[in-house]
Amino acid sequence: MTEQQNTQNVRLSRTMSAVDFAGYGVHEIAYVKPIPDDEGGITFAIHAADGTPLTVLPDREIAFAVVRQNDLEPVSAH
């Protein structure tokens, strides 16, 4: 990232309200997060960019595929 891009990003982050920031990417990004299931295994929760839970799936690759099928970009969250 260039210094100019970094400066623009800092300015943008200072001018965005909490509500604006929460909605950033809501129509482009979905987060995929591993979560424990009831049987001691791991499932994968999909959340909209604003944190809204969408679904839980048994496999990371399936979760990423479902996100892409809905014209969103999957991002791993921890």
Side-chain angles (χ1 to χ4, degrees):
M1 180 178 299
T2 69
E3 185 175 333
Q4 181 181 6
Q5 289 171 321
N6 191 35
T7 301
Q8 289 170 341
N9 287 340
V10 169
R11 265 191 304 231
L12 179 61
S13 66
R14 289 184 182 162
T15 60
M16 291 179 72
S17 71
V19 172
D20 292 337
F21 188 75
Y24 184 75
V26 76
H27 298 291
E28 293 89 23
I29 298 170
Y31 293 96
V32 178
K33 180 179 179 179
I35 58 171
D37 66 16
D38 294 337
E39 299 170 0
I42 298 292
T43 57
F44 293 84
I46 300 174
H47 294 267
D50 66 356
T52 302
L54 301 174
T55 192
V56 176
L57 296 167
D59 183 87
R60 182 180 183 273
E61 287 75 26
I62 293 171
F64 269 58
V66 167
V67 169
R68 287 187 180 113
Q69 286 174 346
N70 286 280
D71 298 322
L72 297 169
E73 184 64 33
V75 177
S76 292
H78 303 280

